[in-house]
DNA sequence: GACGAATGCGAGGAATGCCTCATATTTGGA
DNA sequence: TCCAAATATGAGGCATTCCTCGCATTCGTC
C-alpha cells in the first residue's frame, strides 16, 4: 500500500517508535496513540498502514525473527563450506546466538516473553528453529569429527539447548557467571557429546 | 483476611476458575467478571480478596512455582542421601522436570510466556532456579562419578539446559521426536559432560 | 499552475473492562 | 434467640483505549 517515499518513511517511523515504546513500557502500557505520538505522526496515519496494535507487534516480531535466523543460517553455510574444527564451529554458533540475543534484548524480551504473539507467529518461530536444526543435522552428518547416532535428535537438542541457554543468560544474566565462562562450558559440553565414542 | 470456612472456599473457587479461564482464553481475554462468573461468585466477592486481576495471576504463578520447585528439591534431597549412579540421577532429574511441565502445560504457558508477570515474581522464579543450581552444585561436588572443574557454572548450565529444553519440548512438542528419545539424548549429553576426563 | 491521487490529520464515538459501594445475606457466639 | 461481624451481591460509574471518518495537505504529473 505505501507507494511514495514519504509513506514508507512513515511506516518505518511507526515501527521504530513502536519498538521504543514496547521496549520502554512493556506490551500492556503501549497504546497506539503513544506510538503515533512518538513517531511524530497521527493515529490516523498509523491505522492507514496497520489494522491494529497487534499487527505492529507482529511485524516487529517477524522482522526480528527473520533477520536473526538469516544471520545464523549465513554463519552455518560458511561453516559447511569451510569445515573448521568442530570446537571452533560450536563456539562460533554459540557466539552468534549471543550476538543475536544481545541486539535489543529488552525489546526481544517484550516480544517473546511478554506479548501475546498470535499462534502463527509462534509457529513460524518454531519452524525457523526446526529449519536451523535440519541444517545443523546435515552439518553433523558431514563433519568428520562428529560421531552421532541420530543426527535429527542431536541437532534438536543442540539448537534448543544453545538457544534457550543463551536466551536465559542474556535476558537474565546471573551474577558470578560471565559470558565467557558460560560459552566455554556450553561448547565443552556439546563437543564432548558430539565426539563421544559409541554413539 | 478470610477467617471463616466459607470465604476460604470462595478464594479457592476464584483461583480454580481463574486457572481455567486463563488457560482457555489467554491473558488478555481474561476478565475479572468472567472469572467471578465461572467461580460462581460475584465480582464484588472477588475484589474482597484480590485487589485486582493481576493479583490473581500472581497468586497462581507463585503457587505453581513453589509447588514445582518443592517437588524437584525433594527429589534432589533423596538423590543426595542415596547417591545413585550419576546416569540414574540425571534421568530422574530430567523426568521430574518433564512431570513438572506436563502438569497444566497450557496454564504454564500463559503464566510464563504470555502474561506480564511483575518483576518480583520473575525474580523469585530466577532465585528458585539459582537455589536449585546451588543444590545441584553441591550434589556434583559430592558425587564420586562426577568430575567437574567449576561446579557452579556447570550446575547453572545443567539446570538451565534441562529446564528450557523440557520447557520447549513439552510446550511445543516437535513431531518426529518423542519424550524418550529426547530424555535419552539429554541424559547422555549431560553424563558425558560430567564424567569427561580433564575437567 | 492545476488537478487527481496519495498521504496525513486528530477530535471524538463506541466499546470494553476494572472496580466501587450501597445493600442483602449468612455466620458464630453470647 | 438475637446481634454484630463476616461475607456476598451486582448494577453501574469511571477511565481507558481502540479506531473511524471527514477534512486538510502534499505529491507527482501534465
Amino acid at each position: 500500500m505505501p507507494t511514495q517515499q514519504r509513506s514508507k518513511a512513515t511506516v518505518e517511523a511507526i515501527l521504530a517508535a513502536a519498538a521504543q515504546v514496547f521496549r520502554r513500557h512493556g506490551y500492556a502500557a503501549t497504546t497506539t496513540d503513544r506510538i503515533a505520538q512518538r513517531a511524530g505522526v497521527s493515529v490516523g496515519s498509523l491505522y492507514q498502514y496497520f489494522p491494529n496494535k497487534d499487527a505492529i507487534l507482529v511485524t516487529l516480531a517477524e522482522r526480528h525473527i527473520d533477520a536473526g535466523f538469516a544471520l545464523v543460517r549465513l554463519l552455518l553455510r560458511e561453516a559447511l563450506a569451510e569445515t573448521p574444527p568442530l570446537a571452533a564451529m560450536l563456539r562460533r554458533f554459540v557466539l552468534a546466538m549471543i550476538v543475536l540475543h544481545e541486539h535489543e534484548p529488552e525489546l526481544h524480551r517484550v516480544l517473546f516473553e511478554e506479548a501475546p504473539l498470535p499462534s502463527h507467529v509462534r509457529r513460524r518461530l518454531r519452524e525457523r528453529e526446526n529449519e536451523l536444526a535440519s541444517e545443523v543435522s546435515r552439518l553433523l552428518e558431514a563433519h568428520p569429527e562428529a560421531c552421532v547416532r541420530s543426527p535429527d535428535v542431536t541437532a534438536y537438542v543442540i539448537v534448543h539447548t544453545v538457544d534457550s541457554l543463551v536466551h536465559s543468560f542474556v535476558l537474565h544474566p546471573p551474577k558470578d557467571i560471565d559470558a565467557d565462562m558460560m560459552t566455554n562450558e556450553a561448547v565443552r559440553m556439546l563437543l564432548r557429546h558430539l565426539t563421544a565414542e559409541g554413539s
Side-chain angles (χ1 to χ4, degrees), chain A:
Chain A
M1 293 166 186
T3 65
Q4 296 181 13
Q5 195 57 36
R6 164 168 73 126
S7 59
K8 282 179 188 160
T10 301
V11 170
E12 291 311 311
I14 291 170
L15 286 172
Q20 276 194 42
V21 180
F22 276 126
R23 189 179 61 213
R24 271 244 253 297
H25 301 276
Y27 174 78
T30 296
T31 69
T32 47
D33 289 9
R34 216 169 198 164
I35 294 175
Q37 189 183 5
R38 172 122 222 140
V41 297
S42 78
V43 236
S45 298
L46 189 154
Y47 280 95
Q48 184 122 60
Y49 302 108
F50 298 95
N52 54 50
K53 166 179 156 180
D54 285 340
I56 304 176
L57 184 87
V58 166
T59 304
L60 282 178
E62 287 180 338
R63 284 190 176 195
H64 209 83
I65 291 171
D66 290 348
F69 279 99
L71 182 77
V72 177
R73 198 172 297 124
L74 195 73
L75 195 122
L76 285 182
R77 292 273 156 79
E78 278 180 28
L80 217 127
E82 296 176 21
T83 325
L86 203 53
M89 240 177 63
L90 287 172
R91 171 169 299 274
R92 272 214 258 169
F93 183 53
V94 174
L95 291 179
M97 290 302 260
I98 290 179
V99 169
L100 215 67
H101 282 79
E102 270 176 346
H103 178 247
E104 300 258 36
E106 188 53 25
L107 176 62
H108 189 101
R109 195 194 64 74
V110 172
L111 287 178
F112 297 109
E113 286 192 356
E114 180 186 326
L117 281 184
S119 56
H120 76 269
V121 180
R122 294 194 181 273
R123 208 178 315 130
R124 180 166 178 165
L125 182 58
R126 268 172 271 142
E127 278 166 12
R128 293 272 190 260
E129 277 172 351
N130 291 340
E131 287 167 30
L132 207 59
S134 301
E135 301 213 28
V136 170
S137 175
R138 254 174 285 145
L139 221 138
L140 289 180
E141 289 182 296
H143 201 285
E145 285 178 59
C147 140
V148 291
R149 211 184 285 156
S150 41
D152 287 353
V153 182
T154 303
Y156 174 88
V157 170
I158 290 179
V159 169
H160 279 264
T161 297
V162 174
D163 187 21
S164 36
L165 207 53
V166 170
H167 183 96
S168 303
F169 187 83
V170 173
L171 268 59
H172 312 291
K175 43 183 175 293
D176 309 338
I177 301 183
D178 66 33
D180 265 1
M181 292 162 83
M182 206 277 291
T183 306
N184 287 335
E185 185 77 10
V187 169
R188 236 178 11 237
M189 175 170 78
L190 294 174
L191 189 62
R192 280 166 186 165
H193 183 44
L194 293 178
T195 58
E197 318 270 314
S199 57

